Short mmCIF file of all heavy atoms in Angstrom, two decimals:
data_model
loop_
_atom_site.label_atom_id
_atom_site.label_comp_id
_atom_site.label_asym_id
_atom_site.label_seq_id
_atom_site.Cartn_x
_atom_site.Cartn_y
_atom_site.Cartn_z
N ALA A 198 4.54 6.35 -8.90
CA ALA A 198 4.97 7.47 -8.06
C ALA A 198 4.52 7.28 -6.62
O ALA A 198 5.28 7.54 -5.67
CB ALA A 198 4.44 8.78 -8.63
N LEU A 199 3.29 6.84 -6.42
CA LEU A 199 2.78 6.63 -5.06
C LEU A 199 3.50 5.47 -4.38
O LEU A 199 3.79 5.53 -3.17
CB LEU A 199 1.28 6.38 -5.10
CG LEU A 199 0.41 7.57 -5.51
CD1 LEU A 199 -1.04 7.14 -5.67
CD2 LEU A 199 0.53 8.71 -4.50
N SER A 200 3.79 4.42 -5.13
CA SER A 200 4.46 3.25 -4.55
C SER A 200 5.87 3.57 -4.07
O SER A 200 6.41 2.86 -3.22
CB SER A 200 4.51 2.11 -5.57
OG SER A 200 3.22 1.62 -5.85
N ALA A 201 6.46 4.64 -4.60
CA ALA A 201 7.83 5.00 -4.23
C ALA A 201 7.90 5.82 -2.95
O ALA A 201 9.00 6.10 -2.46
CB ALA A 201 8.47 5.79 -5.38
N ILE A 202 6.76 6.19 -2.38
CA ILE A 202 6.75 7.02 -1.18
C ILE A 202 6.82 6.12 0.06
O ILE A 202 5.97 5.24 0.24
CB ILE A 202 5.46 7.88 -1.14
CG1 ILE A 202 5.44 8.84 -2.33
CG2 ILE A 202 5.36 8.65 0.17
CD1 ILE A 202 4.11 9.55 -2.52
N PRO A 203 7.81 6.33 0.94
CA PRO A 203 8.00 5.42 2.08
C PRO A 203 6.77 5.28 2.98
O PRO A 203 6.50 4.19 3.48
CB PRO A 203 9.17 6.05 2.83
CG PRO A 203 9.94 6.79 1.79
CD PRO A 203 8.90 7.31 0.83
N GLY A 204 6.03 6.35 3.24
CA GLY A 204 4.90 6.27 4.14
C GLY A 204 3.65 5.68 3.54
O GLY A 204 2.66 5.44 4.25
N VAL A 205 3.65 5.46 2.22
CA VAL A 205 2.51 4.84 1.55
C VAL A 205 2.66 3.33 1.61
O VAL A 205 3.63 2.77 1.10
CB VAL A 205 2.40 5.33 0.08
CG1 VAL A 205 1.34 4.52 -0.68
CG2 VAL A 205 2.04 6.81 0.04
N VAL A 206 1.72 2.67 2.23
CA VAL A 206 1.73 1.21 2.31
C VAL A 206 1.26 0.62 0.99
O VAL A 206 1.86 -0.32 0.44
CB VAL A 206 0.82 0.72 3.46
CG1 VAL A 206 0.82 -0.80 3.54
CG2 VAL A 206 1.25 1.33 4.77
N GLU A 207 0.16 1.16 0.46
CA GLU A 207 -0.41 0.70 -0.81
C GLU A 207 -1.40 1.74 -1.30
O GLU A 207 -1.76 2.66 -0.55
CB GLU A 207 -1.09 -0.67 -0.63
CG GLU A 207 -1.42 -1.42 -1.90
CD GLU A 207 -0.26 -1.46 -2.87
OE1 GLU A 207 0.60 -2.35 -2.79
OE2 GLU A 207 -0.22 -0.55 -3.74
N HIS A 208 -1.81 1.63 -2.54
CA HIS A 208 -2.79 2.57 -3.10
C HIS A 208 -3.82 1.79 -3.89
O HIS A 208 -3.64 0.61 -4.20
CB HIS A 208 -2.10 3.60 -3.99
CG HIS A 208 -1.24 2.98 -5.05
ND1 HIS A 208 -1.77 2.41 -6.19
CD2 HIS A 208 0.10 2.80 -5.12
CE1 HIS A 208 -0.79 1.92 -6.93
NE2 HIS A 208 0.36 2.13 -6.29
N GLY A 209 -4.92 2.45 -4.19
CA GLY A 209 -6.06 1.77 -4.81
C GLY A 209 -6.02 1.68 -6.32
O GLY A 209 -7.02 1.27 -6.93
N LEU A 210 -4.91 2.03 -6.95
CA LEU A 210 -4.77 1.83 -8.40
C LEU A 210 -4.29 0.40 -8.66
O LEU A 210 -3.17 0.04 -8.27
CB LEU A 210 -3.78 2.83 -8.99
CG LEU A 210 -4.27 4.29 -9.02
CD1 LEU A 210 -3.12 5.23 -9.33
CD2 LEU A 210 -5.39 4.45 -10.04
N PHE A 211 -5.14 -0.39 -9.28
CA PHE A 211 -4.79 -1.78 -9.63
C PHE A 211 -4.51 -1.79 -11.14
O PHE A 211 -5.42 -1.72 -11.96
CB PHE A 211 -5.96 -2.71 -9.31
CG PHE A 211 -6.07 -3.08 -7.84
CD1 PHE A 211 -6.08 -2.11 -6.85
CD2 PHE A 211 -6.17 -4.42 -7.46
CE1 PHE A 211 -6.20 -2.44 -5.51
CE2 PHE A 211 -6.28 -4.76 -6.12
CZ PHE A 211 -6.29 -3.78 -5.14
N ILE A 212 -3.23 -1.83 -11.47
CA ILE A 212 -2.80 -1.70 -12.87
C ILE A 212 -2.36 -3.07 -13.39
O ILE A 212 -1.46 -3.69 -12.84
CB ILE A 212 -1.63 -0.70 -12.99
CG1 ILE A 212 -1.97 0.62 -12.30
CG2 ILE A 212 -1.26 -0.50 -14.45
CD1 ILE A 212 -3.15 1.35 -12.85
N GLY A 213 -3.01 -3.53 -14.44
CA GLY A 213 -2.59 -4.78 -15.08
C GLY A 213 -2.88 -6.04 -14.29
O GLY A 213 -2.33 -7.09 -14.60
N LEU A 214 -3.72 -5.97 -13.28
CA LEU A 214 -4.02 -7.15 -12.48
C LEU A 214 -5.30 -7.86 -12.93
O LEU A 214 -5.38 -9.08 -12.87
CB LEU A 214 -4.16 -6.77 -11.00
CG LEU A 214 -2.84 -6.47 -10.27
CD1 LEU A 214 -3.12 -5.86 -8.90
CD2 LEU A 214 -2.01 -7.73 -10.13
N ALA A 215 -6.28 -7.10 -13.36
CA ALA A 215 -7.55 -7.70 -13.77
C ALA A 215 -7.42 -8.38 -15.13
O ALA A 215 -6.93 -7.80 -16.09
CB ALA A 215 -8.65 -6.63 -13.83
N SER A 216 -7.85 -9.63 -15.19
CA SER A 216 -7.84 -10.38 -16.45
C SER A 216 -9.12 -10.15 -17.24
O SER A 216 -9.11 -10.10 -18.47
CB SER A 216 -7.70 -11.88 -16.17
OG SER A 216 -6.56 -12.14 -15.38
N SER A 217 -10.23 -10.02 -16.52
CA SER A 217 -11.52 -9.82 -17.18
C SER A 217 -12.46 -9.10 -16.22
O SER A 217 -12.26 -9.10 -15.00
CB SER A 217 -12.13 -11.14 -17.64
OG SER A 217 -12.32 -12.02 -16.56
N ALA A 218 -13.47 -8.47 -16.79
CA ALA A 218 -14.50 -7.81 -16.01
C ALA A 218 -15.86 -8.33 -16.43
O ALA A 218 -16.14 -8.47 -17.63
CB ALA A 218 -14.43 -6.30 -16.20
N VAL A 219 -16.69 -8.64 -15.46
CA VAL A 219 -18.06 -9.07 -15.70
C VAL A 219 -18.96 -7.94 -15.23
O VAL A 219 -19.03 -7.64 -14.04
CB VAL A 219 -18.39 -10.37 -14.95
CG1 VAL A 219 -19.84 -10.78 -15.20
CG2 VAL A 219 -17.43 -11.49 -15.36
N LEU A 220 -19.63 -7.30 -16.19
CA LEU A 220 -20.47 -6.13 -15.89
C LEU A 220 -21.93 -6.48 -16.13
O LEU A 220 -22.29 -6.96 -17.20
CB LEU A 220 -20.07 -4.95 -16.77
CG LEU A 220 -18.61 -4.50 -16.69
CD1 LEU A 220 -18.35 -3.41 -17.72
CD2 LEU A 220 -18.28 -3.99 -15.29
#
Side-chain angles (χ1 to χ4, degrees):
L199 292 173
S200 293
I202 297 170
V205 171
V206 179
E207 194 48 87
H208 53 76
L210 290 167
F211 281 52
I212 309 299
L214 285 170
S216 305
S217 59
V219 179
L220 303 175

